[in-house]
Amino acid sequence: MSRIRQQPEAPTVLRQLAGGERIDLHQHDDHQIVYAAAGVVSISTHRGTWVAPATRAIWVPAGTPHEHRAYGETALHLVGLAENPLGLTMPAVLTVHPLLRELIIAYTDDPADDSAARRRLRAVLLDQLRLSTEQTALRLPAARDSRLAAVCAILAADPSDNRPLPALGSAVGASERTLSRLFRSEFAMTFPQWRTQLRLHHALVLLAEGHPVTTVAHLCGWSTPSAFIDTYKEIFTTTPGRRLR
């Protein structure tokens, strides 16, 4: 297991990361907002992986060992907070509306500033953060059962694999009924719901790396580009083509 780097204070800072660059495993005593104004960022813990494009941010609770990874050229805005305005005890992906986006960007512009104006900015940021909603469709939990983990690994290696659950069960030595139960008990979702989340996760990564929408749809297992666009728009309220621009 990797050594966990301890940071007593969660930094408030803007970091420019290249595609594929990582911030190694660490934890801090403060909570933290992780927001990629450009590119895509993921957070991984022993519980799973959370991914966020520019319309989302990731909440990391205090004391959570985690690592970051950037996809595409990423402008990573980090905000350390003593407060927990949403009362969240696990990492979560949050909606970032336009005002909250601008507040996060402005607050990380000059972390050394201790003016009254910046303190007022922080208070408004906290108020707006309380209005954010959690987005469960951007979470990939880590499997505990070895059979479930094997199915997840098969599809993570090739999200375009369209085999139904019975066929995947035969490949890992488990029945469809057993796997269905495990998806619900461990992930609190059905197999189709999990597979959609996996595909969206991979789609965000591929889009951040500059792949065309049609290629992303094919590589992630959607039957047509329009089917991919419809799913993407339902979750992100925008189209992947607009995301690329």
Side-chain angles (χ1 to χ4, degrees), residues 141-190:
R144 296 187 301 273
D145 185 280
S146 60
R147 296 161 296 181
L148 182 60
V151 169
C152 293
I154 289 171
L155 295 180
D158 180 10
S160 67
D161 186 336
N162 279 312
R163 280 180 289 175
L165 195 55
L168 291 166
S170 296
V172 302
S175 68
E176 177 187 12
R177 182 176 179 180
T178 295
L179 289 174
S180 294
R181 174 180 56 79
L182 288 169
F183 272 104
R184 285 189 167 87
S185 63
E186 291 203 16
F187 296 167
M189 65 184 89
T190 64

Side-chain angles (χ1 to χ4, degrees), residues 95-203:
T95 299
V96 174
H97 52 73
L99 176 56
L100 181 56
R101 168 191 166 85
E102 296 306 318
L103 288 166
I104 292 172
I105 291 173
Y107 190 69
T108 53
D109 181 55
D110 185 5
D113 180 9
D114 192 31
S115 66
R118 189 165 182 272
R119 290 194 292 273
R120 290 193 295 270
L121 179 67
R122 185 179 186 279
V124 178
L125 191 157
L126 286 170
D127 284 341
Q128 292 301 311
L129 189 61
R130 291 184 181 96
L131 302 177
S132 297
T133 54
E134 185 174 353
Q135 302 293 313
T136 56
L138 296 171
R139 175 179 65 98
L140 287 178
R144 296 187 301 273
D145 185 280
S146 60
R147 296 161 296 181
L148 182 60
V151 169
C152 293
I154 289 171
L155 295 180
D158 180 10
S160 67
D161 186 336
N162 279 312
R163 280 180 289 175
L165 195 55
L168 291 166
S170 296
V172 302
S175 68
E176 177 187 12
R177 182 176 179 180
T178 295
L179 289 174
S180 294
R181 174 180 56 79
L182 288 169
F183 272 104
R184 285 189 167 87
S185 63
E186 291 203 16
F187 296 167
M189 65 184 89
T190 64
F191 169 64
Q193 288 170 334
W194 176 86
R195 177 143 64 179
T196 297
Q197 290 197 25
L198 174 76
R199 288 174 169 174
L200 284 170
H201 180 117
H202 280 265

Side-chain angles (χ1 to χ4, degrees), residues 21-91:
E21 190 171 349
R22 297 174 183 267
I23 299 176
D24 62 4
L25 189 67
H26 65 284
Q27 64 182 25
H28 24 70
D29 297 335
D30 297 330
H31 309 291
Q32 191 173 57
I33 302 167
V34 178
Y35 175 65
V40 168
V41 64
S42 70
I43 294 292
S44 296
T45 77
H46 74 284
R47 293 178 178 269
T49 299
W50 291 255
V51 62
T55 56
R56 303 290 187 265
I58 303 176
W59 174 264
V60 182
T64 302
H66 62 285
E67 58 184 4
H68 308 63
R69 181 171 179 178
Y71 299 96
E73 296 295 321
T74 299
L76 190 63
H77 297 263
L78 303 171
V79 179
L81 294 172
E83 302 89 345
N84 187 349
L86 292 173
L88 295 170
T89 59
M90 284 184 58

